[in-house]
Amino acid sequence: MLSSSDPTRPLPELHGHGLCLRPWDPESRTDVDTWLRGLTDPEFRRWNTPLRPITDADGARESLRRGAQRDADGTGASFQIADARSGTALGHIGVNEIHPVLRRGLVGYWVLPEARGRGVATRALLLASHWAFTGLGLHRLELDHAVGHEASCRVAERCGFRPEGTIRGAIFEAGRHDAFRDAHLHARLATDPEPVLTATETP
């Protein structure tokens, strides 16, 4: 059973699928440390190249503050993924680049190393997508990932994000801002059927 609150600021906590999605707190040392660990993880860096590299706690805190500002002005919605029972941080999911007129957003996520292989990304994406469609009133959610990132491709498809093709030179090469690589584009509409979790994906 899913639950969410009205799409007002500050962001609500979202509960469902054994998870709690809660807003990041830039002033929390624990949140800063978790954010830093996620963005410096080698597997994250293999597939993602942030516009501003994060290498220390000060940079991580500033990054979270920028995210909180986007949350406040309605152009983004950034959540820490946590276990519903223990509260343990598991990763991140965000609805970014929200376009209020076209009612469109771009989804991104990552999962900490110790939480992988448990369906965390799938469950978090289902929960965040449900809220984006029903709480924010978005019509279209897009998701792209580097070509070759098969794990992210499987998450997208399990969550009803249909493949729409390859977008050429759309994202940075790993660790570079002077070279580009292709990405796969997936998208889901508010009118698409709601995906159902399989037994192996339930908590």
Side-chain angles (χ1 to χ4, degrees):
M1 183 68 179
L2 300 174
S3 64
S4 67
S5 56
D6 293 335
T8 56
R9 300 300 183 260
L11 291 178
E13 286 191 356
L14 310 178
H15 298 269
H17 306 314
L19 301 175
C20 172
L21 306 188
R22 59 193 183 207
W24 290 93
D25 180 1
E27 309 314 314
S28 163
R29 179 58 184 270
T30 300
D31 280 15
V32 168
D33 288 347
T34 300
W35 186 253
L36 177 61
R37 192 156 65 90
L39 269 61
T40 55
D41 173 65
E43 187 67 7
F44 173 86
R45 290 193 165 190
R46 178 185 177 192
W47 301 111
N48 303 276
T49 304
L51 290 174
R52 303 184 189 186
I54 307 301
T55 59
D56 56 28
D58 288 342
R61 179 174 287 105
E62 183 56 34
S63 175
L64 284 178
R65 286 173 175 164
R66 290 194 297 270
Q69 181 57 50
R70 290 190 291 271
D71 295 346
D73 65 24
T75 60
S78 182
F79 296 96
Q80 180 184 118
I81 308 169
D83 182 86
R85 293 182 179 177
S86 67
T88 302
L90 304 174
H92 159 79
I93 190 162
V95 183
N96 310 304
E97 300 180 21
I98 295 173
H99 194 300
V101 177
L102 291 176
R103 294 162 54 201
R104 182 178 65 205
L106 178 66
V107 182
Y109 48 82
W110 49 259
V111 176
L112 292 170
E114 66 273 17
R116 292 171 188 153
R118 294 160 45 189
V120 170
T122 298
R123 292 184 280 137
L125 181 55
L126 286 174
L127 184 57
S129 299
H130 179 86
W131 175 73
F133 289 135
T134 64
L136 294 181
L138 297 188
H139 168 67
R140 176 179 167 91
L141 286 176
E142 296 180 353
L143 186 162
D144 64 55
H145 61 79
V147 171
H149 194 348
E150 298 302 326
S152 192
C153 198
R154 289 192 297 271
V155 169
E157 292 181 346
R158 282 196 295 262
C159 293
F161 283 74
R162 299 179 187 178
E164 294 190 343
T166 299
I167 43 180
R168 297 178 300 148
I171 59 177
F172 288 129
E173 286 280 4
R176 300 178 62 179
H177 287 162
D178 62 344
F180 298 85
R181 55 183 162 176
D182 297 349
H184 283 162
L185 176 65
H186 299 254
R188 183 177 154 194
L189 303 182
T191 51
D192 289 339
E194 184 79 19
V196 178
L197 283 175
T198 67
T200 57
E201 294 162 348
T202 54

Coordinates of all heavy atoms in Angstrom, one line a residue, residues 77-171:
A77 N 13.0 17.2 -7.0 CA 12.5 16.5 -5.8 C 13.5 15.4 -5.5 O 13.6 14.4 -6.2 CB 11.1 15.9 -6.0
S78 N 14.3 15.6 -4.4 CA 15.4 14.7 -4.1 C 15.2 14.0 -2.8 O 15.0 14.6 -1.8 CB 16.7 15.5 -4.1 OG 17.8 14.8 -3.8
F79 N 15.3 12.6 -2.9 CA 14.9 11.8 -1.7 C 16.1 10.8 -1.4 O 16.7 10.2 -2.3 CB 13.7 10.9 -2.0 CG 12.4 11.7 -2.2 CD1 12.0 12.0 -3.5 CD2 11.7 12.2 -1.1 CE1 10.8 12.7 -3.7 CE2 10.5 12.8 -1.3 CZ 10.1 13.1 -2.6
Q80 N 16.3 10.7 -0.1 CA 17.2 9.6 0.4 C 16.3 8.3 0.4 O 15.2 8.4 0.9 CB 17.7 9.9 1.7 CG 18.6 8.8 2.3 CD 19.1 9.0 3.7 OE1 18.8 8.3 4.6 NE2 19.9 10.1 3.9
I81 N 16.8 7.2 -0.1 CA 16.1 5.9 0.0 C 16.5 5.3 1.3 O 17.7 5.1 1.6 CB 16.4 5.0 -1.1 CG1 16.2 5.7 -2.5 CG2 15.6 3.7 -1.0 CD1 16.8 4.9 -3.7
A82 N 15.6 4.9 2.2 CA 15.9 4.3 3.5 C 15.0 3.1 3.7 O 13.9 3.0 3.2 CB 15.7 5.3 4.6
D83 N 15.6 2.1 4.4 CA 14.8 1.0 4.8 C 13.6 1.4 5.8 O 13.9 2.1 6.7 CB 15.7 -0.1 5.5 CG 14.9 -1.3 5.9 OD1 14.8 -2.2 5.0 OD2 14.4 -1.4 7.0
A84 N 12.4 0.9 5.5 CA 11.3 1.4 6.3 C 11.3 1.0 7.7 O 10.8 1.7 8.6 CB 10.0 0.9 5.6
R85 N 11.9 -0.1 8.0 CA 12.0 -0.6 9.4 C 13.1 -0.1 10.2 O 13.0 0.4 11.3 CB 12.0 -2.2 9.4 CG 10.8 -2.8 8.8 CD 10.9 -4.3 8.9 NE 9.7 -5.0 8.4 CZ 9.5 -6.3 8.3 NH1 10.5 -7.1 8.7 NH2 8.4 -6.8 7.9
S86 N 14.3 -0.2 9.6 CA 15.5 0.2 10.4 C 15.9 1.7 10.2 O 16.6 2.3 11.0 CB 16.7 -0.6 9.9 OG 17.1 -0.4 8.6
G87 N 15.4 2.3 9.1 CA 15.8 3.7 8.8 C 17.2 3.8 8.1 O 17.7 4.9 7.9
T88 N 17.8 2.7 7.9 CA 19.2 2.6 7.3 C 19.1 3.2 5.8 O 18.3 2.9 5.0 CB 19.7 1.2 7.2 OG1 19.8 0.7 8.5 CG2 21.1 1.2 6.6
A89 N 20.1 4.1 5.6 CA 20.1 4.7 4.2 C 20.6 3.7 3.2 O 21.5 2.9 3.5 CB 21.1 5.9 4.2
L90 N 19.9 3.7 2.1 CA 20.2 2.7 1.0 C 20.6 3.3 -0.3 O 21.2 2.6 -1.1 CB 18.9 1.8 0.8 CG 18.3 1.1 2.0 CD1 17.0 0.4 1.6 CD2 19.3 0.1 2.5
G91 N 20.3 4.6 -0.5 CA 20.6 5.2 -1.8 C 19.9 6.5 -2.0 O 19.5 7.2 -1.0
H92 N 19.7 6.9 -3.2 CA 19.1 8.1 -3.6 C 18.2 8.0 -4.8 O 18.5 7.2 -5.7 CB 20.2 9.2 -3.9 CG 19.7 10.3 -4.8 ND1 19.0 11.4 -4.3 CD2 19.8 10.5 -6.1 CE1 18.7 12.2 -5.3 NE2 19.2 11.7 -6.4
I93 N 17.1 8.7 -4.9 CA 16.3 8.8 -6.1 C 15.8 10.3 -6.2 O 15.4 10.9 -5.2 CB 15.1 7.8 -6.1 CG1 14.5 7.8 -7.5 CG2 14.1 8.1 -5.0 CD1 13.6 6.6 -7.7
G94 N 15.8 10.8 -7.4 CA 15.3 12.2 -7.6 C 14.5 12.3 -8.8 O 14.7 11.6 -9.8
V95 N 13.5 13.2 -8.8 CA 12.8 13.6 -10.0 C 13.4 15.0 -10.3 O 13.2 16.0 -9.5 CB 11.3 13.7 -9.8 CG1 10.6 14.1 -11.0 CG2 10.8 12.4 -9.2
N96 N 14.1 15.1 -11.4 CA 14.9 16.3 -11.7 C 14.3 17.0 -13.0 O 13.5 16.5 -13.7 CB 16.3 15.9 -12.0 CG 16.9 15.1 -10.9 OD1 16.9 15.4 -9.7 ND2 17.4 13.9 -11.3
E97 N 14.8 18.2 -13.2 CA 14.4 19.0 -14.4 C 12.9 19.0 -14.6 O 12.4 18.8 -15.7 CB 15.1 18.5 -15.6 CG 16.7 18.6 -15.4 CD 17.4 18.0 -16.7 OE1 16.8 18.0 -17.8 OE2 18.6 17.6 -16.5
I98 N 12.1 19.3 -13.5 CA 10.7 19.3 -13.6 C 10.2 20.5 -14.5 O 10.6 21.6 -14.2 CB 10.0 19.3 -12.2 CG1 10.4 18.0 -11.5 CG2 8.5 19.5 -12.3 CD1 9.9 18.0 -10.0
H99 N 9.4 20.2 -15.5 CA 8.9 21.2 -16.4 C 7.4 21.3 -16.1 O 6.6 20.4 -16.4 CB 9.1 20.8 -17.8 CG 8.9 21.9 -18.8 ND1 7.7 22.6 -18.9 CD2 9.8 22.5 -19.7 CE1 7.8 23.5 -19.9 NE2 9.0 23.5 -20.4
P100 N 7.0 22.4 -15.4 CA 5.6 22.5 -15.0 C 4.6 22.6 -16.1 O 3.4 22.2 -15.9 CB 5.6 23.8 -14.1 CG 6.8 24.6 -14.6 CD 7.8 23.6 -15.0
V101 N 5.0 23.2 -17.2 CA 4.0 23.4 -18.3 C 3.8 22.0 -19.1 O 2.7 21.6 -19.3 CB 4.5 24.5 -19.2 CG1 3.5 24.6 -20.4 CG2 4.6 25.8 -18.5
L102 N 4.9 21.4 -19.4 CA 4.8 20.1 -20.1 C 4.6 19.0 -19.2 O 4.3 17.9 -19.6 CB 6.1 19.9 -20.9 CG 6.4 20.8 -22.1 CD1 7.7 20.5 -22.7 CD2 5.3 20.6 -23.2
R103 N 4.7 19.3 -17.9 CA 4.4 18.2 -16.9 C 5.3 17.0 -17.1 O 4.9 15.9 -17.1 CB 2.9 17.9 -16.8 CG 2.0 19.0 -16.4 CD 0.6 18.8 -16.8 NE 0.1 17.5 -16.3 CZ -1.0 16.9 -16.8 NH1 -1.6 17.5 -17.8 NH2 -1.4 15.7 -16.3
R104 N 6.6 17.3 -17.2 CA 7.6 16.3 -17.5 C 8.7 16.4 -16.4 O 9.1 17.5 -15.9 CB 8.2 16.5 -18.9 CG 9.2 15.5 -19.4 CD 9.6 15.9 -20.8 NE 10.3 17.1 -20.9 CZ 10.3 17.9 -21.9 NH1 9.7 17.5 -23.0 NH2 11.0 19.0 -21.9
G105 N 9.4 15.3 -16.1 CA 10.5 15.2 -15.2 C 11.5 14.1 -15.7 O 11.1 13.3 -16.5
L106 N 12.7 14.2 -15.1 CA 13.8 13.3 -15.5 C 14.2 12.6 -14.2 O 14.5 13.2 -13.2 CB 15.0 14.0 -16.1 CG 16.2 13.2 -16.4 CD1 15.9 12.2 -17.5 CD2 17.4 14.1 -16.8
V107 N 14.1 11.2 -14.2 CA 14.4 10.5 -13.0 C 15.8 10.0 -12.9 O 16.4 9.6 -14.0 CB 13.4 9.2 -12.9 CG1 13.7 8.5 -11.6 CG2 12.0 9.7 -13.0
G108 N 16.5 10.0 -11.8 CA 17.8 9.5 -11.6 C 17.9 8.8 -10.2 O 17.2 9.2 -9.3
Y109 N 18.8 7.8 -10.1 CA 18.9 7.1 -8.8 C 20.2 6.4 -8.7 O 20.9 6.2 -9.7 CB 17.8 6.0 -8.7 CG 17.6 5.2 -9.9 CD1 18.4 4.1 -10.2 CD2 16.6 5.5 -10.9 CE1 18.3 3.3 -11.3 CE2 16.5 4.7 -12.1 CZ 17.4 3.6 -12.2 OH 17.3 2.9 -13.4
W110 N 20.6 6.1 -7.5 CA 21.8 5.2 -7.2 C 21.5 4.5 -5.9 O 20.8 5.0 -5.1 CB 23.1 6.0 -7.2 CG 23.2 7.3 -6.4 CD1 23.1 8.6 -6.9 CD2 23.4 7.4 -5.0 NE1 23.2 9.5 -5.8 CE2 23.5 8.8 -4.7 CE3 23.6 6.4 -4.0 CZ2 23.7 9.2 -3.4 CZ3 23.8 6.9 -2.7 CH2 23.8 8.3 -2.4
V111 N 22.2 3.4 -5.8 CA 22.1 2.6 -4.6 C 23.5 2.3 -4.0 O 24.4 2.0 -4.7 CB 21.4 1.2 -4.9 CG1 21.3 0.3 -3.7 CG2 19.9 1.5 -5.4
L112 N 23.6 2.4 -2.7 CA 24.8 2.1 -2.0 C 25.3 0.6 -2.2 O 24.4 -0.2 -2.4 CB 24.7 2.4 -0.5 CG 24.5 3.9 -0.2 CD1 24.2 4.0 1.3 CD2 25.8 4.7 -0.5
P113 N 26.6 0.4 -2.2 CA 27.1 -1.0 -2.6 C 26.5 -2.1 -1.7 O 26.1 -3.1 -2.3 CB 28.6 -0.9 -2.3 CG 28.9 0.6 -2.5 CD 27.7 1.3 -2.1
E114 N 26.3 -1.8 -0.4 CA 25.8 -2.9 0.5 C 24.3 -3.2 0.3 O 23.8 -4.2 0.8 CB 26.1 -2.6 1.9 CG 25.4 -1.3 2.5 CD 26.1 0.0 2.2 OE1 27.0 0.0 1.4 OE2 25.7 0.9 2.9
A115 N 23.6 -2.3 -0.4 CA 22.2 -2.4 -0.6 C 21.8 -3.0 -2.0 O 20.6 -3.2 -2.3 CB 21.5 -1.1 -0.4
R116 N 22.8 -3.2 -2.8 CA 22.5 -3.7 -4.2 C 22.0 -5.2 -4.2 O 22.4 -5.9 -3.3 CB 23.7 -3.5 -5.1 CG 24.0 -2.1 -5.3 CD 25.3 -1.8 -6.0 NE 25.6 -0.4 -6.1 CZ 26.9 0.1 -6.1 NH1 27.9 -0.7 -6.2 NH2 27.0 1.4 -6.1
G117 N 21.3 -5.5 -5.2 CA 20.8 -6.9 -5.3 C 19.6 -7.2 -4.5 O 19.2 -8.4 -4.4
R118 N 18.9 -6.2 -4.0 CA 17.7 -6.4 -3.1 C 16.5 -5.7 -3.7 O 15.5 -5.6 -3.0 CB 18.0 -5.9 -1.7 CG 19.1 -6.7 -1.0 CD 19.7 -5.9 0.2 NE 18.7 -5.2 1.0 CZ 19.0 -4.3 1.9 NH1 20.3 -4.0 2.2 NH2 18.1 -3.7 2.6
G119 N 16.6 -5.3 -5.0 CA 15.4 -4.6 -5.6 C 15.2 -3.2 -5.1 O 14.1 -2.7 -5.3
V120 N 16.2 -2.6 -4.5 CA 16.0 -1.3 -3.9 C 15.7 -0.2 -5.0 O 14.7 0.5 -4.8 CB 17.2 -0.9 -3.1 CG1 17.2 0.6 -2.7 CG2 17.4 -1.7 -1.8
A121 N 16.4 -0.2 -6.0 CA 16.2 0.8 -7.1 C 14.8 0.6 -7.7 O 14.1 1.6 -8.0 CB 17.3 0.7 -8.2
T122 N 14.5 -0.7 -8.0 CA 13.1 -0.9 -8.5 C 12.0 -0.4 -7.6 O 11.1 0.3 -8.1 CB 13.0 -2.5 -8.8 OG1 14.0 -2.9 -9.7 CG2 11.6 -2.8 -9.3
R123 N 12.1 -0.8 -6.4 CA 11.0 -0.4 -5.4 C 11.0 1.1 -5.3 O 9.9 1.7 -5.2 CB 11.3 -1.1 -4.1 CG 11.0 -2.6 -4.2 CD 11.1 -3.3 -2.8 NE 12.5 -3.5 -2.4 CZ 13.0 -3.3 -1.2 NH1 12.3 -2.8 -0.3 NH2 14.3 -3.6 -0.9
A124 N 12.2 1.8 -5.2 CA 12.2 3.2 -5.0 C 11.7 3.9 -6.3 O 10.9 4.9 -6.2 CB 13.6 3.7 -4.7
L125 N 12.0 3.4 -7.5 CA 11.5 4.0 -8.7 C 10.0 3.9 -8.8 O 9.3 4.8 -9.2 CB 12.2 3.4 -9.9 CG 11.8 4.0 -11.3 CD1 12.0 5.5 -11.3 CD2 12.7 3.3 -12.4
L126 N 9.4 2.7 -8.4 CA 8.0 2.6 -8.4 C 7.3 3.6 -7.5 O 6.3 4.2 -7.8 CB 7.6 1.2 -8.1 CG 7.9 0.1 -9.1 CD1 7.6 -1.3 -8.5 CD2 7.0 0.3 -10.4
L127 N 7.9 3.7 -6.3 CA 7.3 4.6 -5.3 C 7.4 6.1 -5.7 O 6.4 6.8 -5.7 CB 8.0 4.4 -4.0 CG 7.5 5.1 -2.7 CD1 6.1 4.9 -2.5 CD2 8.4 4.7 -1.5
A128 N 8.6 6.5 -6.2 CA 8.8 7.9 -6.6 C 7.9 8.2 -7.9 O 7.4 9.3 -8.0 CB 10.2 8.2 -6.9
S129 N 7.8 7.2 -8.8 CA 7.0 7.5 -10.0 C 5.5 7.7 -9.6 O 4.9 8.5 -10.2 CB 7.2 6.3 -11.0 OG 8.5 6.2 -11.4
H130 N 5.1 6.8 -8.8 CA 3.6 6.9 -8.3 C 3.4 8.3 -7.8 O 2.4 8.9 -8.1 CB 3.3 5.8 -7.3 CG 1.9 5.9 -6.8 ND1 0.9 5.2 -7.4 CD2 1.4 6.5 -5.7 CE1 -0.2 5.4 -6.7 NE2 0.1 6.2 -5.7
W131 N 4.3 8.8 -6.9 CA 4.1 10.1 -6.3 C 4.2 11.2 -7.4 O 3.4 12.2 -7.4 CB 5.1 10.3 -5.2 CG 5.1 11.7 -4.7 CD1 4.2 12.2 -3.8 CD2 6.1 12.8 -4.9 NE1 4.5 13.6 -3.5 CE2 5.6 13.9 -4.2 CE3 7.2 12.8 -5.7 CZ2 6.3 15.1 -4.2 CZ3 7.9 14.0 -5.7 CH2 7.5 15.1 -4.9
A132 N 5.1 11.1 -8.3 CA 5.3 12.1 -9.3 C 4.0 12.2 -10.2 O 3.6 13.3 -10.6 CB 6.5 11.8 -10.2
F133 N 3.4 11.1 -10.5 CA 2.2 11.1 -11.3 C 1.0 11.6 -10.5 O 0.2 12.4 -11.0 CB 1.9 9.8 -11.9 CG 2.9 9.4 -13.0 CD1 3.5 8.1 -13.0 CD2 3.3 10.2 -14.0 CE1 4.4 7.7 -14.0 CE2 4.2 9.9 -15.0 CZ 4.7 8.6 -15.0
T134 N 0.8 11.1 -9.3 CA -0.4 11.4 -8.5 C -0.3 12.6 -7.6 O -1.2 13.2 -7.3 CB -0.8 10.1 -7.7 OG1 0.2 9.9 -6.7 CG2 -1.0 8.9 -8.6
G135 N 1.0 12.8 -7.1 CA 1.2 13.9 -6.2 C 1.6 15.2 -6.9 O 1.0 16.3 -6.7
L136 N 2.5 15.1 -7.8 CA 2.9 16.3 -8.6 C 2.1 16.5 -9.8 O 2.2 17.6 -10.4 CB 4.4 16.1 -9.0 CG 5.5 16.1 -7.9 CD1 6.8 16.0 -8.5 CD2 5.4 17.4 -7.1
G137 N 1.4 15.5 -10.3 CA 0.6 15.7 -11.5 C 1.3 15.7 -12.8 O 0.9 16.2 -13.8
L138 N 2.5 15.0 -12.8 CA 3.3 15.0 -14.0 C 2.6 14.0 -15.0 O 1.9 13.1 -14.6 CB 4.7 14.5 -13.7 CG 5.6 15.5 -12.8 CD1 7.0 15.0 -12.8 CD2 5.5 16.9 -13.3
H139 N 2.9 14.3 -16.3 CA 2.4 13.5 -17.3 C 3.4 12.5 -17.9 O 3.0 11.3 -18.2 CB 1.9 14.3 -18.5 CG 1.6 13.6 -19.7 ND1 0.5 12.7 -19.8 CD2 2.2 13.6 -21.0 CE1 0.5 12.2 -21.0 NE2 1.5 12.7 -21.7
R140 N 4.7 12.9 -17.9 CA 5.7 12.1 -18.5 C 7.0 12.1 -17.6 O 7.4 13.1 -17.2 CB 6.1 12.6 -19.9 CG 7.2 11.9 -20.6 CD 7.5 12.5 -22.0 NE 8.7 12.0 -22.6 CZ 8.9 10.9 -23.3 NH1 7.8 10.2 -23.6 NH2 10.1 10.6 -23.8
L141 N 7.5 10.9 -17.4 CA 8.8 10.8 -16.7 C 9.8 10.1 -17.6 O 9.5 9.1 -18.2 CB 8.6 9.9 -15.4 CG 7.9 10.5 -14.2 CD1 7.8 9.5 -13.1 CD2 8.7 11.7 -13.7
E142 N 11.0 10.7 -17.7 CA 12.0 10.2 -18.6 C 13.1 9.6 -17.7 O 13.4 10.1 -16.6 CB 12.5 11.3 -19.5 CG 11.5 11.8 -20.5 CD 12.0 12.8 -21.5 OE1 13.2 13.3 -21.2 OE2 11.3 13.2 -22.4
L143 N 13.9 8.7 -18.2 CA 15.0 8.1 -17.5 C 16.0 7.7 -18.6 O 15.7 7.0 -19.6 CB 14.5 6.8 -16.8 CG 15.4 6.1 -15.9 CD1 14.6 5.2 -15.0 CD2 16.4 5.2 -16.6
D144 N 17.2 8.2 -18.4 CA 18.3 7.8 -19.4 C 19.5 7.2 -18.6 O 19.7 7.5 -17.5 CB 18.7 8.9 -20.3 CG 19.3 10.1 -19.6 OD1 20.3 9.9 -18.9 OD2 18.8 11.2 -19.8
H145 N 20.2 6.3 -19.3 CA 21.4 5.7 -18.7 C 22.4 5.5 -19.8 O 22.1 5.3 -21.0 CB 21.1 4.5 -17.9 CG 20.5 3.4 -18.8 ND1 21.2 2.6 -19.6 CD2 19.2 3.0 -19.0 CE1 20.4 1.7 -20.3 NE2 19.2 2.0 -19.9
A146 N 23.7 5.4 -19.4 CA 24.7 5.1 -20.4 C 24.5 3.8 -21.1 O 24.1 2.8 -20.4 CB 26.1 5.1 -19.7
V147 N 24.8 3.7 -22.3 CA 24.7 2.5 -23.1 C 25.6 1.5 -22.4 O 26.8 1.8 -22.1 CB 25.0 2.7 -24.6 CG1 25.2 1.3 -25.3 CG2 24.0 3.5 -25.2
G148 N 25.1 0.3 -22.2 CA 25.9 -0.7 -21.5 C 25.6 -0.9 -20.0 O 26.0 -1.9 -19.4
H149 N 24.8 0.0 -19.5 CA 24.5 -0.1 -18.1 C 23.2 -1.0 -18.0 O 22.1 -0.5 -17.8 CB 24.2 1.3 -17.5 CG 24.1 1.4 -16.0 ND1 24.1 0.2 -15.2 CD2 24.1 2.4 -15.1 CE1 24.0 0.6 -13.9 NE2 24.1 1.9 -13.9
E150 N 23.4 -2.3 -18.0 CA 22.3 -3.2 -18.1 C 21.5 -3.2 -16.9 O 20.3 -3.5 -16.9 CB 22.8 -4.6 -18.5 CG 23.6 -4.7 -19.8 CD 22.7 -4.2 -21.0 OE1 21.5 -4.5 -20.9 OE2 23.2 -3.7 -21.9
A151 N 22.1 -3.1 -15.7 CA 21.3 -3.1 -14.5 C 20.3 -2.0 -14.4 O 19.1 -2.2 -14.1 CB 22.3 -3.0 -13.3
S152 N 20.7 -0.8 -14.8 CA 19.8 0.3 -14.9 C 18.7 0.1 -15.9 O 17.5 0.5 -15.7 CB 20.5 1.6 -15.1 OG 19.7 2.8 -14.9
C153 N 19.0 -0.5 -17.0 CA 18.1 -0.8 -18.1 C 17.0 -1.7 -17.5 O 15.8 -1.5 -17.8 CB 18.8 -1.4 -19.3 SG 17.8 -1.4 -20.8
R154 N 17.4 -2.8 -16.8 CA 16.4 -3.7 -16.2 C 15.5 -3.0 -15.2 O 14.3 -3.3 -15.2 CB 17.2 -4.9 -15.6 CG 17.8 -5.8 -16.6 CD 18.3 -7.1 -15.9 NE 19.3 -6.9 -14.9 CZ 20.6 -6.8 -15.1 NH1 21.1 -7.0 -16.4 NH2 21.5 -6.7 -14.1
V155 N 16.1 -2.2 -14.4 CA 15.2 -1.4 -13.4 C 14.2 -0.6 -14.2 O 13.0 -0.6 -13.8 CB 16.1 -0.5 -12.5 CG1 15.2 0.4 -11.7 CG2 17.0 -1.4 -11.6
A156 N 14.6 0.1 -15.2 CA 13.7 0.9 -15.9 C 12.5 0.1 -16.5 O 11.3 0.5 -16.4 CB 14.4 1.7 -17.0
E157 N 12.9 -1.0 -17.1 CA 11.9 -1.8 -17.8 C 10.9 -2.5 -16.8 O 9.7 -2.6 -17.0 CB 12.5 -2.8 -18.7 CG 13.2 -2.2 -19.9 CD 13.9 -3.2 -20.8 OE1 14.0 -4.4 -20.4 OE2 14.2 -2.8 -21.9
R158 N 11.5 -2.9 -15.6 CA 10.6 -3.5 -14.6 C 9.6 -2.5 -14.1 O 8.5 -2.8 -13.6 CB 11.4 -4.0 -13.5 CG 12.1 -5.4 -13.7 CD 12.6 -6.0 -12.5 NE 13.6 -5.3 -11.8 CZ 14.9 -5.6 -11.9 NH1 15.3 -6.6 -12.7 NH2 15.8 -4.8 -11.3
C159 N 10.0 -1.2 -14.1 CA 9.1 -0.2 -13.6 C 8.2 0.5 -14.7 O 7.6 1.6 -14.4 CB 9.9 0.9 -12.9 SG 10.8 0.3 -11.4
G160 N 8.1 -0.1 -15.8 CA 7.2 0.4 -16.8 C 7.8 1.5 -17.7 O 7.0 2.1 -18.4
F161 N 9.1 1.8 -17.6 CA 9.7 2.8 -18.4 C 10.1 2.1 -19.8 O 11.1 1.4 -19.9 CB 10.9 3.4 -17.7 CG 10.5 4.4 -16.7 CD1 10.0 3.9 -15.4 CD2 10.7 5.7 -16.8 CE1 9.7 4.8 -14.4 CE2 10.4 6.6 -15.9 CZ 9.9 6.2 -14.6
R162 N 9.3 2.4 -20.8 CA 9.5 1.8 -22.1 C 10.8 2.3 -22.8 O 11.0 3.5 -22.7 CB 8.3 2.0 -23.0 CG 7.0 1.4 -22.4 CD 5.9 1.6 -23.3 NE 4.6 1.2 -22.8 CZ 3.4 1.4 -23.3 NH1 3.3 1.9 -24.6 NH2 2.3 1.0 -22.7
P163 N 11.6 1.5 -23.4 CA 12.7 2.0 -24.2 C 12.2 2.8 -25.4 O 11.3 2.4 -26.1 CB 13.4 0.7 -24.6 CG 12.4 -0.4 -24.5 CD 11.4 0.0 -23.5
E164 N 12.9 3.9 -25.6 CA 12.5 4.8 -26.7 C 13.6 5.0 -27.7 O 13.5 5.8 -28.7 CB 11.9 6.1 -26.2 CG 10.6 6.0 -25.4 CD 9.9 7.3 -25.1 OE1 10.6 8.4 -25.2 OE2 8.7 7.3 -24.8
G165 N 14.8 4.4 -27.5 CA 15.8 4.5 -28.4 C 17.1 5.0 -27.8 O 17.3 5.2 -26.6
T166 N 18.1 5.2 -28.6 CA 19.4 5.7 -28.2 C 19.6 7.1 -28.6 O 19.3 7.6 -29.7 CB 20.5 4.9 -28.9 OG1 20.4 3.5 -28.6 CG2 21.9 5.3 -28.5
I167 N 20.0 7.9 -27.6 CA 20.3 9.3 -27.8 C 21.8 9.5 -27.9 O 22.5 9.2 -27.0 CB 19.6 10.2 -26.8 CG1 19.8 9.7 -25.4 CG2 18.2 10.4 -27.1 CD1 19.1 10.6 -24.3
R168 N 22.3 10.0 -29.0 CA 23.7 10.0 -29.3 C 24.4 11.1 -28.6 O 24.0 12.2 -28.5 CB 24.0 10.1 -30.8 CG 23.4 9.0 -31.6 CD 23.6 9.2 -33.1 NE 23.0 10.4 -33.6 CZ 23.4 11.2 -34.6 NH1 24.5 10.9 -35.2 NH2 22.7 12.2 -34.9
G169 N 25.6 10.8 -28.0 CA 26.4 11.8 -27.4 C 25.7 12.6 -26.3 O 25.9 13.8 -26.2
A170 N 24.8 12.0 -25.6 CA 23.9 12.7 -24.7 C 24.5 13.0 -23.3 O 24.0 13.9 -22.6 CB 22.6 12.0 -24.6
I171 N 25.4 12.2 -22.9 CA 26.0 12.3 -21.5 C 27.5 12.2 -21.5 O 28.1 11.8 -22.5 CB 25.4 11.2 -20.5 CG1 25.7 9.8 -21.0 CG2 23.9 11.4 -20.4 CD1 25.3 8.7 -20.1

